[in-house]
Amino acid sequence: MDKRKALIAMSGGVDSSVAAALMLEAGFDCIGVTMKLHGGGGTYSEKSCCTASDAEDARGVCARLGMKYYVFDFSADFEERVIRRFAEAYENGLTPNPCIDCNRFLKFDRLYRRAEELGCDFIVTGHYARIDFDEKSGRWLLKKSLNAAKDQTYVLYSLTQEQLEHTRFPLGNFTGKEEVRALAHKLDLINAAKRDSQDICFVPDGDYAEFIRRYSGKDYPRGSFVDKSGNVLGEHKGIIHYTIGQRKGLGLSFPEPMYVCEKNTADNTVILAPEMELYSRTLIANDFNWISREGAPEKPLRVWGKTRYSAREAPAYAEASAGGVKITFDEPQRAVTAGQAVVLYDGDTVVGGGTIIKTENGGKTTW
């Protein structure tokens, strides 16, 4: 009987390398693949992912494990589906999450389809998450990692039932990163002590505005900082320089701290307000992907919602609404931002997720 075949998405980091080793140990016929996402230009720091040195590390791990290794050039797809969407989102007053787009459009679309072409039964990544099948509902479930500190389900909410059925996350049952590194050392992998990537790979210095200016070739005009009543407070240096909740770098002084609470692209203004104005109880999300259930509930559904990767989950109700899904939190949430994702949970199970387009106190936009 032929072995089941798995395509391992190899980033060059320790997580995907250990994931590959675990799949081999489980008896799979594995091939390692690195996605080439960048063109010849650009400067990337050691904290970024997807660099040329990362590809060499992945190649070395595959050689150590006796796996075939390939590099697939997806740079055109990455530019169109991730970088361009990132720049256009900022231009439209949104604050995007490019890691979600990379998972959605590159790893679990472009690479997933390549895996099918190669006759692979599964695509495997080093994400910290778990997949389970619920016999009662007949649905595949996305569940939190046992390592709560590393859980990555927030950036995986777009996975479909088909993708979940043919995806494996071997690290989901690990309770600590030290276990993963210990196994990498035991296997004598060259990247066992390699640091985790932290930055957005195409903006390693964190200067989003300068990257967007270079990428688009546009100059973004200065405009006015205004308060909630429309009173001019000062001049901003271009709307792409600001995100909801920002306090530092405004270049203004006030008797009390003032924060960016809204961006109005129509008149090129940035609205500032005291921190209490940053809180919202209600949001609308669209492009919603339901995982644990078939479609939006007819009646309000009790969930726990998370509006940023680093945010804590908070109790809420979710229900169908004109234009998307309405999420109402028990308590107001800070700096809920259009363009970010809201992900819903029931215990350790992901109910679904979508893109925030509107909050009760502003942030309205159209994608």
Side-chain angles (χ1 to χ4, degrees):
M1 182 177 177
D2 292 338
K3 289 184 178 180
R4 289 181 297 173
K5 194 172 181 180
L7 182 150
I8 319 296
M10 306 285 288
S11 67
V14 65
D15 291 330
S16 57
S17 300
V18 170
L22 291 171
M23 293 300 287
L24 285 169
E25 185 180 278
F28 286 83
D29 178 9
C30 300
I31 61 172
V33 170
T34 295
M35 299 184 297
K36 181 178 183 292
L37 301 180
H38 309 287
T43 302
Y44 307 99
S45 76
E46 63 175 8
K47 294 189 293 181
S48 300
C49 65
C50 310
T51 65
S53 63
D54 289 327
E56 286 307 305
D57 287 345
R59 188 186 304 277
V61 167
C62 286
R64 174 74 179 83
L65 297 175
M67 291 167 49
K68 293 180 181 178
Y69 174 74
Y70 302 96
V71 175
F72 295 152
D73 186 355
F74 292 162
S75 55
D77 300 85
F78 187 72
E79 190 278 327
E80 178 183 354
R81 306 308 298 273
V82 179
I83 297 178
R84 184 180 300 175
R85 285 171 61 90
F86 175 86
E88 290 178 350
Y90 265 100
E91 288 179 335
N92 285 283
L94 302 169
T95 303
N97 189 320
C99 294
I100 290 175
D101 283 345
C102 186
N103 283 316
R104 179 179 181 180
F105 298 116
L106 274 296
K107 287 189 181 76
F108 297 102
D109 182 5
R110 192 74 173 83
L111 188 61
Y112 178 87
R113 286 186 280 114
R114 183 61 65 88
E116 286 184 315
E117 293 168 2
L118 293 171
C120 294
D121 301 286
F122 299 101
I123 184 171
V124 180
T125 73
H127 284 105
Y128 286 81
R130 293 178 295 145
I131 296 172
D132 196 9
F133 184 72
D134 179 41
E135 296 284 353
K136 185 176 180 180
S137 66
R139 297 185 68 82
W140 290 92
L141 303 179
L142 176 64
K143 293 192 169 187
K144 293 179 186 176
S145 166
L146 296 185
N147 181 351
K150 295 287 289 182
D151 177 65
Q152 292 173 296
T153 51
Y154 179 83
V155 298
L156 296 168
Y157 76 84
S158 65
L159 286 169
T160 66
Q161 287 294 298
E162 178 190 347
Q163 290 165 346
L164 286 166
E165 183 179 0
H166 296 283
T167 297
R168 292 292 181 268
F169 298 131
L171 304 189
N173 289 316
F174 283 75
T175 57
K177 182 62 178 271
E178 63 277 3
E179 296 177 67
V180 177
R181 291 200 182 278
L183 181 53
H185 281 294
K186 182 179 179 181
L187 295 169
D188 196 26
L189 301 183
I190 59 174
N191 54 6
K194 187 175 181 178
R195 66 185 299 170
D196 293 340
S197 59
Q198 299 173 357
D199 296 319
I200 294 176
C201 60
F202 55 90
V203 195
D205 60 1
D207 192 343
Y208 304 154
E210 177 57 22
F211 170 81
I212 294 167
R213 190 192 65 77
R214 291 198 314 266
Y215 173 76
S216 69
K218 301 176 184 176
D219 287 319
Y220 297 90
R222 293 176 176 270
S224 295
F225 283 120
V226 299
D227 62 19
K228 284 278 194 173
S229 300
N231 299 309
V232 176
L233 304 175
E235 183 182 68
H236 70 67
K237 56 186 179 181
I239 206 164
I240 63 171
H241 289 267
Y242 307 97
T243 59
I244 305 302
Q246 181 176 336
R247 179 175 68 87
K248 296 181 179 180
L250 302 179
L252 301 174
S253 179
F254 300 100
E256 64 176 322
M258 297 285 276
Y259 299 79
V260 175
C261 71
E262 191 177 343
K263 298 186 288 182
N264 190 329
T265 56
D267 61 10
N268 193 32
T269 57
V270 176
I271 297 88
L272 304 181
E275 185 175 19
M276 62 180 293
E277 296 289 342
L278 285 177
Y279 288 82
S280 307
R281 277 196 67 207
T282 304
L283 64 84
I284 302 294
N286 70 358
D287 197 17
F288 214 89
N289 181 51
W290 296 97
I291 296 178
S292 67
R293 55 175 293 117
E294 183 72 39
E298 294 180 0
K299 298 179 180 179
L301 177 69
R302 192 60 167 167
V303 293
W304 287 72
K306 184 173 181 176
T307 58
R308 289 176 184 259
Y309 183 82
S310 59
R312 290 184 179 180
E313 297 160 30
Y317 286 98
E319 58 190 310
S321 174
V325 177
K326 180 181 179 181
I327 315 294
T328 304
F329 289 92
D330 291 8
E331 299 293 336
Q333 302 298 297
R334 188 183 188 279
V336 178
T337 304
Q340 290 284 298
V342 58
V343 179
L344 309 181
Y345 295 85
D346 178 7
D348 65 354
T349 299
V350 177
V351 177
T355 304
I356 300 167
I357 60 169
K358 183 180 179 181
T359 64
E360 66 178 6
N361 65 344
K364 182 178 180 181
T365 188
T366 301
W367 180 232

